[in-house]
Amino acid sequence: MKTNVLGYPRIGAKRELKKVSERYWKGTATKTELVEMGKQLKLSNWKLMQNAGIDLIPSNDFSFYDQVLDATLTYGCIPARYQKIKEKESQLDLYFAMARGLQNNEFDVTAMEMTKWFDTNYHYLVPEFTANQEFELFSLKPVHEFKEALAHNITTKPVVLSPVTYLLLGKEKEGGFNRIDLLDNLLPVFYKLIEGLVDAGATYIQIDEPCLALDITDKDREAIKKLYSTLAYKFPELNVILTSYFDCYGDNLETVLQLPVHALHLDLVRCSLQLDDILNATNFKNDKILSLGIIDGRNIWKTNFEDTIATIKKVEAQIGKDNVWLATSCSLLHSPYDLDLEESEEALPVSVKQWLAFAKQKVDELVTLKKLAAGDASKEVLTKLVDNTRALKAKKESSIIHNAAVKARLSLLTAKDSERNAEFLSRQKIQKDQLKLPAYPTTTIGSFPQTKEVRSWRSKFKKKELSLDAYNQLIKQEIEETIRFQEKIGLDVLVHGECERNDMVEYFGEKLEGFAISNFGWVQSYGSRAVKPPILFGDVSRPVPMTVKWSDYAQSLSSKVVKGMLTGPVTILQWSFVRNDQSRSETCKQIALAIRDEVNDLEEVGLQAIQVDEPAIREGLPLRKEHWSAYLSWAVESFKIATSGVADKTQIHTHMCYCEFNDIIQHIANLDADVITIETSRSKMDLLNVFVDFKYPNEIGPGVYDIHSPRVPEVSEIEELLQKASKLLPVDNIWVNPDCGLKTRDWPETKLALENLVQAAKTMRSKLETAY
Ligand code: GLN
Ligand code: ZN
């Protein structure tokens, strides 16, 4: 029996990679410093797993930005606009230019598009393909990393993104072809890579094929058959581990069982039933090892040892001890580093901490389970078993989890609680009269730059180096400056700027009952960005208002409309580590009721517009379509529970980022938000077409400024996007805004970009006037 880790977090236990990358981009760290940090992080992960006793230790799971972008470089699929950079700059700088865009005296190129990695909150850079796309083995990163570990006497299992999944995750940049047909061009490059790995001494290779968790076509399945049969033919000695995760193999199972691979990995956390399906399948010939993904890579709860041992025993009895491996369900990329770093009792009480396991603890669980399965009765191992059983029993019975009042309120909900009073068109009229905004009203998505200074106040306050009064005073000042700034550049609907928030979900997690917060529970979101999901362990309620004081203050400063700013229930759910002892729908509705109280209170103090962000609604979609409608029904209901307590005159906004809306547009419309702002700038308004074809009824702000890149858009660029939008949508319904919050940007670039945005809106208005 081997233990198999599919991937490890790579940002550093204290986000070391973030810090040095950002310095490198600013020009205050050298390339050597950055590369050295990468080496250190890789080595410490490898050593940790080696010392713990893991058998299959991953390599090439490290990345300076994103593993899909790494594959783009490996497969040499560099879009034409980076050609000059490719010729002149180092591979690393080319890589960052593709990730972030590059604007200097010499170059001005946009970044590649980014989108969510399956149903996670991790974002990858979307490969771009042209009709006759050529590939080359451009970067040997997988081979270099394997050798790097070998130099420390650690033989790793390289992790490689399959060419099929790679193609499916990308986008055709022109019409007239199907990207899966590019496989013939890509395969020779892939085999060359595998040859390189084999020559370097790799005997196990993990091929990530997560598209097997999706609904794919017969053609895609044929591509998969071709890939693996050729691979087996060319490299008969190589042990290929076919690895999919996040859902069942479903109707791909039949294909999968025929593939000539050494081991088949199963995500038993997301899909436990598939185990029996496989063991009973008529074409399961018992010729493969099953890698049982029993440790949850996506959540932080301890694994239930007793149940897991029972599962292992059952499989062993059927296919023999030698054919069973124990694994993490997916890469631990989605887990925080190390629970041992959590020393603050205040944030994370021991009563909750005893139920948790982060990446390092999961590695230990894996090894312990292997020992238990092998009948190890040493005191050390048995103590771990007893501790595990005790902790999980305490969890079941804990009084900090169950709140009768919350459960009662939920049971009293009726359909009326999730409907506004009037239809949108009547509301729109009332709101237009009330708010008196110009055509093409300008606004932002909520956050303004979070400077070092602002963050230092928060950290000083947390360390008690700053009193509550002093902290509040600073926040007030910052809000005032933000309001004055927006008034000065001429925005129409203002925001308070969210300077009091560390993160749009964590902030609410800190205020709501039923949540705990870790200190170092960081998980990579994209590139150098990480989030620290709150830990939702119990019934949720709102003991006191959370944002009212700040929004009320902001509104008191200005005669313009100020928009209140909240995070929606689905997003809070989606971006938290959620309890696994009740259904997600129930938990989500509990959050919705808490947010509803906040929305109503904001209205009460006089906010006329309230935004409830739901950027995560799409990523919550189950990977397979058959489960969509159940999810969408409770997700939409939750949003509406949160937002339907207000009068018709109150304008409800919502915001979503990186969303492929195509197949869920009806449900987005069902949210019935008065205004929706979306991300469209990187895709040059492509994403808008869905709203147009659907005839989306409510108001909409297609993002015209890509805030994920430091690049400042020209007035003419913004105007062009607005022209495009105006041809597609009723002018009365169009808003002008960036495509997301400005939190990660600097003030100077924000100022320039927003000035340009306001200018573009003004030009559009004057064109309207001359048209009359
Ligand atoms: N209001 C949030 C902000 O501006 C929205 C961010 C998001 O959608 N990710 O930061
Ligand atoms: Zn956003």
Side-chain angles (χ1 to χ4, degrees):
M1 179 180 287
K2 288 191 193 301
T3 45
N4 180 23
V5 173
L6 269 53
Y8 209 77
R10 57 208 181 196
I11 51 175
K14 301 212 163 146
R15 290 181 301 156
E16 291 84 348
L17 188 60
K18 171 197 182 68
K19 289 166 196 161
V20 65
S21 316
E22 289 177 357
R23 285 204 296 119
Y24 178 68
W25 298 331
K26 276 208 195 100
T28 56
T30 63
K31 191 166 289 166
T32 316
E33 280 175 81
L34 176 61
V35 171
E36 275 310 310
M37 178 55 77
K39 284 191 176 153
Q40 266 180 41
L41 291 170
K42 281 177 267 187
L43 185 59
S44 80
N45 286 354
W46 289 327
K47 280 251 157 83
L48 181 142
M49 285 183 267
Q50 188 185 44
N51 292 339
I54 295 293
D55 302 302
L56 295 166
I57 298 171
S59 61
N60 197 40
D61 57 334
F62 177 80
S63 179
F64 278 113
Y65 205 95
D66 163 44
Q67 73 272 7
V68 181
L69 184 61
D70 292 338
T72 291
L73 260 78
T74 298
Y75 298 145
C77 186
I78 319 289
R81 64 181 179 286
Y82 305 107
Q83 193 52 42
K84 263 220 204 108
I85 302 178
K86 184 178 166 192
E87 282 157 20
K88 291 186 117 171
E89 301 290 336
S90 69
Q91 215 175 71
L92 192 63
D93 290 331
L94 166 68
Y95 177 78
F96 287 137
M98 292 164 74
R100 313 174 61 240
L102 183 61
Q103 194 175 36
N104 58 24
N105 307 336
E106 210 177 335
F107 303 110
D108 187 2
V109 285
T110 54
M112 292 178 80
E113 221 181 293
M114 214 167 16
T115 199
K116 304 246 161 173
W117 175 248
F118 296 81
D119 59 351
T120 73
N121 182 27
Y122 175 81
H123 308 65
Y124 71 92
L125 287 135
V126 182
E128 299 176 13
F129 306 120
T130 54
N132 296 309
Q133 185 68 51
E134 307 225 356
F135 301 92
E136 59 172 322
L137 194 53
F138 179 65
S139 146
L140 280 170
K141 172 180 179 285
V143 180
H144 292 155
E145 272 186 28
F146 179 81
K147 289 185 177 164
E148 198 178 321
L150 206 55
H152 294 281
N153 277 322
I154 303 171
T155 305
T156 55
K157 163 201 66 168
V159 179
V160 175
L161 183 60
S162 153
V164 174
T165 292
Y166 177 74
L167 290 173
L168 293 179
L169 288 176
K171 236 184 175 175
E172 290 107 0
K173 280 297 172 184
E174 55 195 10
F177 75 106
N178 178 345
R179 60 193 185 280
I180 200 68
D181 290 330
L182 298 173
L183 188 66
D184 287 336
N185 291 355
L186 179 51
L187 277 183
V189 176
F190 175 68
Y191 294 135
K192 212 161 139 192
L193 169 69
I194 301 297
E195 193 182 309
L197 288 167
V198 171
D199 288 348
T203 51
Y204 287 91
I205 291 194
Q206 171 180 325
I207 302 191
D208 276 6
E209 198 72 272
C211 75
L212 288 166
L214 305 175
D215 299 314
I216 54 174
T217 65
D218 285 341
K219 192 169 177 158
D220 303 335
R221 277 185 282 270
E222 284 311 310
I224 287 173
K225 280 190 208 160
K226 181 170 179 182
L227 168 69
Y228 291 91
S229 53
T230 321
L231 192 64
Y233 174 77
K234 284 187 184 276
F235 304 95
E237 303 296 312
L238 181 64
N239 299 314
V240 171
I241 310 162
L242 175 63
T243 306
S244 177
Y245 30 78
F246 303 151
D247 208 335
C248 309
Y249 284 99
D251 54 6
N252 298 318
L253 185 60
E254 217 187 296
T255 309
V256 163
L257 290 177
Q258 289 168 22
L259 299 176
V261 295
H262 178 70
L264 176 62
H265 175 77
L266 313 176
D267 181 342
L268 293 181
V269 174
R270 280 301 178 91
C271 180
S272 54
L273 296 178
Q274 68 183 333
L275 187 55
D276 285 331
D277 291 350
I278 291 174
L279 295 173
N280 300 331
T282 45
N283 65 342
F284 179 62
K285 296 192 211 75
N286 206 355
D287 58 348
K288 288 182 194 29
I289 284 168
L290 293 183
S291 161
L292 308 181
I294 33 105
I295 305 277
D296 194 345
R298 299 271 301 266
N299 216 332
I300 42 140
W301 310 108
K302 273 186 177 157
T303 309
N304 184 321
F305 282 1
E306 278 181 3
D307 291 356
T308 309
I309 292 293
T311 307
I312 299 168
K313 292 276 171 221
K314 185 179 95 181
V315 186
E316 277 183 349
Q318 291 206 37
I319 66 173
K321 271 190 171 28
D322 293 341
N323 286 336
V324 180
W325 291 352
L326 300 185
T328 56
S329 64
C330 58
S331 167
L332 296 177
L333 173 66
H334 313 285
S335 298
Y337 262 81
D338 184 2
L339 191 63
D340 295 341
L341 298 175
E342 303 297 329
E343 286 166 349
S344 151
E345 174 53 21
E346 210 174 311
L348 189 61
V350 196
S351 48
V352 177
K353 192 175 162 186
Q354 62 164 338
W355 302 327
L356 310 181
F358 291 0
K360 184 174 164 214
Q361 289 70 36
K362 286 171 192 287
V363 163
D364 194 59
E365 285 189 335
L366 203 49
V367 175
T368 305
L369 280 165
K370 172 175 162 174
K371 289 181 181 162
L372 283 167
D376 184 335
S378 66
K379 189 162 165 236
E380 191 206 340
V381 172
L382 288 183
T383 312
K384 286 186 177 171
L385 176 62
V386 171
D387 286 350
N388 180 276
T389 313
R390 191 189 306 126
L392 295 180
K393 184 158 176 280
K395 181 163 171 243
K396 228 180 211 154
E397 294 161 0
S398 171
S399 63
I400 58 171
I401 291 186
H402 302 285
N403 179 335
V406 173
K407 295 190 208 290
R409 189 175 174 202
L410 197 64
S411 71
L412 292 175
L413 273 176
T414 66
K416 226 178 76 240
D417 295 318
S418 46
E419 288 301 330
R420 300 287 295 269
N421 297 321
E423 303 276 307
F424 169 71
L425 285 176
S426 327
R427 297 200 310 264
Q428 188 181 34
K429 206 174 157 307
I430 299 171
Q431 289 165 16
K432 289 225 188 259
D433 288 346
Q434 167 108 3
L435 302 175
K436 302 200 170 46
L437 298 170
Y440 295 105
T442 52
T443 191
T444 60
I445 307 304
S447 59
F448 270 79
Q450 286 237 339
T451 53
K452 255 203 196 110
E453 222 190 338
V454 171
R455 276 174 302 178
S456 79
W457 302 337
R458 196 162 40 241
S459 91
K460 280 188 191 148
F461 172 57
K462 283 205 168 143
K463 286 187 214 142
K464 305 208 160 63
E465 289 164 21
L466 205 62
S467 73
L468 178 64
D469 272 356
Y471 175 72
N472 284 348
Q473 210 42 50
L474 288 165
I475 293 292
K476 273 181 141 177
Q477 258 171 40
E478 182 74 14
I479 290 178
E480 171 151 20
E481 277 169 33
T482 306
I483 290 284
R484 298 295 169 239
F485 170 83
Q486 296 170 83
E487 285 180 329
K488 187 157 160 245
I489 62 172
L491 285 159
D492 300 306
V493 171
L494 317 188
V495 294
H496 77 287
E498 300 180 28
C499 62
E500 80 288 10
R501 301 186 193 171
N502 33 11
D503 169 89
M504 64 185 290
V505 169
E506 189 179 345
Y507 181 79
F508 293 93
E510 278 174 353
K511 311 249 170 226
L512 291 167
E513 218 120 275
F515 284 86
I517 304 288
S518 66
N519 279 310
F520 298 101
W522 296 100
V523 180
Q524 188 174 16
S525 167
Y526 71 87
S528 66
R529 245 181 115 173
V531 292
K532 189 149 65 66
I535 297 163
L536 196 175
F537 63 87
D539 289 334
V540 177
S541 60
R542 185 198 74 147
V544 287
M546 307 179 281
T547 66
V548 175
K549 179 173 71 183
W550 303 126
S551 291
D552 188 22
Y553 175 66
Q555 183 65 82
S556 77
L557 297 170
S558 180
S559 56
K560 290 203 160 177
V561 178
V562 173
K563 187 162 63 163
M565 197 55 60
L566 302 172
T567 304
V570 184
T571 300
I572 293 183
L573 180 86
Q574 203 56 37
W575 292 354
S576 297
F577 289 118
V578 180
R579 61 194 285 188
N580 55 7
D581 61 343
Q582 74 177 16
S583 71
R584 288 173 74 83
S585 63
E586 207 170 327
T587 306
C588 195
K589 286 179 201 173
Q590 289 184 354
I591 309 171
L593 281 172
I595 299 296
R596 180 186 178 95
D597 294 343
E598 188 74 10
V599 170
N600 294 354
D601 283 354
L602 284 169
E603 180 185 53
E604 176 95 23
V605 299
L607 276 291
Q608 297 172 281
I610 299 165
Q611 180 169 312
V612 177
D613 291 323
E614 282 293 19
I617 210 159
R618 158 101 210 180
E619 78 186 37
L621 272 181
L623 294 175
R624 286 219 164 75
K625 280 219 165 103
E626 52 179 323
H627 303 125
W628 281 20
S629 73
Y631 162 76
L632 285 163
S633 133
W634 61 255
V636 170
E637 189 191 342
S638 298
F639 179 85
K640 294 179 81 174
I641 291 171
T643 53
S644 297
V646 292
D648 294 332
K649 64 176 197 318
T650 301
Q651 189 170 59
I652 296 289
H653 290 231
T654 190
H655 165 72
M656 287 170 203
C657 6
Y658 310 118
C659 200
E660 301 276 8
F661 290 99
N662 300 25
D663 29 24
I664 57 162
I665 187 73
Q666 178 66 60
H667 303 273
I668 299 298
N670 291 350
L671 295 175
D672 199 24
D674 298 302
V675 183
I676 184 172
T677 52
I678 57 168
E679 181 271 333
T680 36
S681 57
R682 264 195 196 189
S683 74
K684 307 243 174 330
M685 294 283 146
D686 282 357
L687 283 168
L688 194 55
N689 287 322
V690 189
F691 286 80
V692 176
D693 297 341
F694 176 77
K695 297 201 170 46
Y696 181 78
N698 302 10
E699 299 183 12
I700 174 166
V704 288
Y705 154 33
D706 172 17
I707 66 89
H708 302 90
S709 150
R711 212 179 146 267
V712 172
E714 307 275 338
V715 179
S716 60
E717 267 170 65
I718 301 178
E719 240 184 271
E720 216 171 284
L721 293 177
L722 287 173
Q723 292 285 8
K724 223 165 161 180
S726 306
K727 290 210 182 87
L728 300 169
L729 297 169
V731 169
D732 266 354
N733 287 2
I734 302 180
W735 285 69
V736 181
N737 46 265
D739 67 2
C740 200
L742 299 161
K743 188 174 144 180
T744 53
R745 302 273 55 99
D746 290 333
W747 277 105
E749 71 200 46
T750 296
K751 179 164 181 285
L752 294 174
L754 290 182
E755 277 169 355
N756 289 354
L757 181 144
V758 169
Q759 187 50 51
K762 284 189 177 152
T763 316
M764 293 300 290
R765 276 173 214 156
S766 66
K767 281 188 186 154
L768 267 190
E769 276 153 25
T770 48
Y772 279 125

